[in-house]
Amino acid sequence: MAEVWQVAAAIAGGMLLLWLVLAVFLVMARPRGGALGEALRLLPDLLRLVARLARDDGLPRGVRVRLWLLLGYLALPIDLIPDFIPVLGYADDAIVVAFVLRSVVRRAGPDALAGHWPGTPEGLAVVRRLVGGPG
């Protein structure tokens, strides 16, 4: 019986360590300046952008796979940082979206964002800053 508890404790400790590593990664990958707060306000438009990009057959398959995985992560009720924690709960979603969109822009180019952006030109400028491109 003691062995079962040791295995359970080892698994719990490993999962806690993995969660801490992922949380540190999120903090390091977060957009700088006020872009994160602006991204939270644009989250509905960002979700539509991600869905449109994921359905675009003109983009490389690897890019579309990343976008579909992102949509799956966002649809899951389990988050890295629970949504009931003020500000940080939704910030982790915005950070993950920004990280994936950065990789999309690197691979597919900034025109892919502009072609599928459902919001205002000002919102697109924020998204460009969010992913590290010119505003």
Side-chain angles (χ1 to χ4, degrees), residues 29-39 41-42 46 98 101-102 105 110 113 121-135:
R30 77 183 183 281
R32 303 293 181 230
L36 183 59
E38 294 177 39
R41 287 190 293 278
L42 292 174
L46 284 170
L101 286 178
R102 278 183 207 152
V105 168
L113 291 182
E122 295 81 16
L124 180 59
V126 170
V127 171
R128 286 185 172 152
R129 279 197 322 267
L130 182 72
V131 299

Side-chain angles (χ1 to χ4, degrees), residues 3-19:
E3 293 173 1
V4 172
W5 286 109
Q6 288 176 337
V7 170
I11 290 172
M15 291 184 74
L16 177 64
L17 181 62
L18 179 63
W19 180 83

